[in-house]
Amino acid sequence: MKPLLQIFLLFLSGLSHAVPYINQDAAVEVLNRDYAGQWLYWKPVELPLAVLQTDKSAEASYLSALYRDGMVTRERQITTEPIGNGRKRVVLSWLYDWQEGVSEGTAYGRRRLHSILTMTDPIERDGEWFVEIHLRWYADQLADWTSQPEMKKVRRIRRALESRDKPFEATVYLVYRNYHWQLWQPDTP
């Protein structure tokens, strides 16, 4: 009886190091918790940035639109530049900057899970279990300013607007830590 009990205890200890289980439904739950719902940010240019008031470029156009919607600030700048023979020309420009406290850009929507395309079985690496997931996602809860004509010229915003019909594809990894699956981040300890 005693050898049978020892074999049973060895079998149970072997199970404690078994591969952690995850199926597609559980992966969807983890992705909805840790990946979907995150705010998406757009940082078109490094601000502060001075733009000539007469500039008609796409960059000047969308900065003006962001200003109208209160996403960025702008301040009038008056400078001079030499044009030769000791003469100078007055240059009028706008100095655009992010609203106070904003540095990552402007939020334009939230990420939502569309579907899981493929999912690997758990793989052990360096004492941790990982699952690779290839998925599709779309942008949801898009900000009102994304539908302005100036913004539709910006590829990232245009793609976000059409992403329900043409979802983005991404590959993410889940890691098994503290007895549950979570989204793996390379900089997470």
Side-chain angles (χ1 to χ4, degrees):
M1 183 71 175
K2 193 173 184 178
L4 186 59
L5 182 61
Q6 288 175 338
I7 291 172
F8 180 72
L9 289 175
L10 281 173
F11 176 72
L12 281 179
S13 66
L15 284 180
S16 67
H17 298 292
V19 176
Y21 177 75
I22 187 167
N23 62 15
Q24 191 160 335
D25 292 336
V28 166
E29 281 184 39
V30 172
L31 291 169
N32 281 330
R33 182 189 70 221
D34 295 348
Y35 185 71
Q38 294 177 352
W39 282 107
L40 301 167
Y41 290 93
W42 176 55
K43 192 172 191 175
V45 291
E46 286 298 319
L47 296 181
L49 177 67
V51 177
L52 293 175
Q53 287 184 9
T54 57
D55 190 347
K56 302 291 184 205
S57 69
E59 184 175 78
S61 173
Y62 63 68
L63 282 171
S64 179
L66 289 175
Y67 170 73
R68 281 194 309 271
D69 285 340
M71 309 301 282
V72 297
T73 63
R74 87 176 172 191
E75 180 181 313
R76 177 173 279 154
Q77 280 189 331
I78 302 173
T79 58
T80 59
E81 66 180 25
I83 57 172
N85 296 333
R87 298 173 48 207
K88 293 184 179 187
R89 172 175 54 181
V90 174
V91 178
L92 301 173
S93 58
W94 294 115
L95 179 64
Y96 288 95
D97 203 353
W98 294 112
Q99 291 285 356
E100 189 172 322
V102 175
S103 61
E104 65 273 353
T106 184
Y108 64 90
R110 288 186 183 267
R111 181 185 294 132
R112 295 287 180 223
L113 182 64
H114 182 274
S115 59
I116 292 179
L117 299 174
T118 61
M119 181 174 139
T120 66
D121 290 329
I123 300 167
E124 185 178 15
R125 174 136 319 151
D126 298 328
E128 291 186 306
W129 292 93
F130 293 90
V131 172
E132 180 182 83
I133 299 177
H134 188 67
L135 56 86
R136 287 189 175 137
W137 65 273
Y138 63 95
D140 192 24
Q141 296 178 350
L142 294 170
D144 293 337
W145 58 265
T146 59
S147 60
Q148 293 183 12
E150 298 92 350
M151 294 298 125
K152 291 180 181 178
K153 296 175 186 174
V154 178
R155 185 179 191 289
R156 175 178 281 186
I157 303 303
R158 188 175 62 250
R159 275 292 288 126
L161 289 167
E162 64 189 20
S163 65
R164 278 190 190 265
D165 297 325
K166 300 176 187 174
F168 297 100
E169 290 190 12
T171 300
V172 298
Y173 298 90
L174 302 184
V175 62
Y176 190 73
R177 290 188 180 145
N178 299 323
Y179 304 104
H180 71 277
W181 288 99
Q182 62 190 35
L183 185 66
W184 177 73
Q185 301 290 338
D187 55 343
T188 302

